Amino acid sequence: MINDFEHDSIFTPEQVLENRGRVAIFIDGSNLFYAAMQLGMEIDYTKLLCRLTAGSRLLRSFFYTGVDRSNEKQQGFLLWMRRNGYRVIAKDLVQLPDGSKKANLDVEIAVDMMALVGAYDTAVLVSGDGDLAYAVDAVSYRGVRVEVVSLRSMTSDSLINVADRYIDLESIKEDIQKSPRHHPYTYRPLSGVSHQTTEGKPSAK
């Protein structure tokens, strides 16, 4: 009897995913870019949307990014994103005293996650930023199931600890990377946009 129980799980992984209800996706664009860079790949955003939705009903997919209005290539990429399933939330880059440029969209992500509670059942947060842990905890107590997707080396333990499910970006790399001769737009934030550590790599906070 015990052996039968061990071999026959109550729910298969597929059944768990089917139970996600309506899904809302929140993507920290800069965090995702630097994670992809660490993995040595370019993201195919059509494949990414399909992989994160995983057959569930999609409420909306948000993509948060800092922008340089004079960067025509970036503007082209964001236009492509808007026309291919993403709601883009853009914020102008701010010049910092050290000369670098940055746009922090943690507040925007947190506010949208909270504002839409009741309209979705599962939140998929693509970020490793520990500053978002409080928002994740808050929506969890409102009945939302939260999945965090990010590169483990760039992810805060505090964020993983409050998530219902954690997915290492490296484990889905083959499903979301860009194939040769795909669409021409690539997301490339300006140098110095992301959180920096002494090694020049983004930190998870």
Side-chain angles (χ1 to χ4, degrees), residues 48-180:
L48 178 67
L49 188 58
C50 291
R51 180 62 178 79
L52 296 181
T53 305
S56 298
R57 291 176 298 150
L58 178 65
L59 171 68
R60 188 158 290 153
S61 180
F62 297 93
F63 184 82
Y64 302 82
T65 181
V67 294
D68 176 359
R69 304 292 175 181
S70 64
N71 186 329
E72 291 185 8
K73 188 171 183 179
Q74 188 187 46
Q75 293 302 313
F77 165 76
L78 295 179
L79 178 61
W80 184 93
M81 291 286 280
R82 290 185 178 99
R83 292 177 175 177
N84 286 274
Y86 291 89
R87 177 67 59 89
V88 176
I89 293 85
K91 189 174 184 178
D92 288 338
L93 295 168
V94 176
Q95 183 93 29
L96 300 178
D98 63 1
S100 64
K101 294 183 178 181
K102 183 178 180 180
N104 192 323
L105 286 105
D106 291 348
V107 171
E108 286 80 358
I109 295 173
V111 168
D112 287 346
M113 289 182 74
M114 288 299 299
L116 289 170
V117 167
Y120 66 93
D121 304 295
T122 298
V124 180
L125 174 63
V126 183
S127 178
D129 194 336
D131 285 349
L132 293 168
Y134 190 81
V136 168
D137 205 30
V139 298
S140 294
Y141 277 101
R142 298 284 298 277
V144 173
R145 182 175 183 271
V146 182
E147 301 175 3
V148 170
V149 182
S150 56
L151 185 60
R152 183 62 186 90
S153 62
M154 290 174 53
T155 306
S156 169
D157 287 341
S158 62
L159 191 58
I160 295 176
N161 292 342
V162 294
D164 295 290
R165 184 181 185 215
Y166 173 72
I167 301 170
D168 190 336
L169 203 62
E170 188 168 12
S171 70
I172 62 171
K173 176 180 177 180
E174 300 300 321
D175 298 332
I176 63 172
Q177 63 184 349
K178 187 183 291 186
S179 303

Side-chain angles (χ1 to χ4, degrees), residues 176-195:
I176 63 172
Q177 63 184 349
K178 187 183 291 186
S179 303
R181 298 192 301 275
H182 202 61
H183 66 78
Y185 298 117
T186 301
Y187 176 68
R188 294 190 182 282
L190 298 184
S191 177
V193 172
S194 182
H195 316 302

Side-chain angles (χ1 to χ4, degrees), residues 18-37:
E18 287 171 2
N19 209 25
R20 297 163 88 208
R22 182 169 285 192
V23 173
I25 299 170
F26 304 88
I27 301 173
D28 180 339
S30 181
N31 193 279
L32 177 59
F33 169 78
Y34 283 103
M37 193 165 65

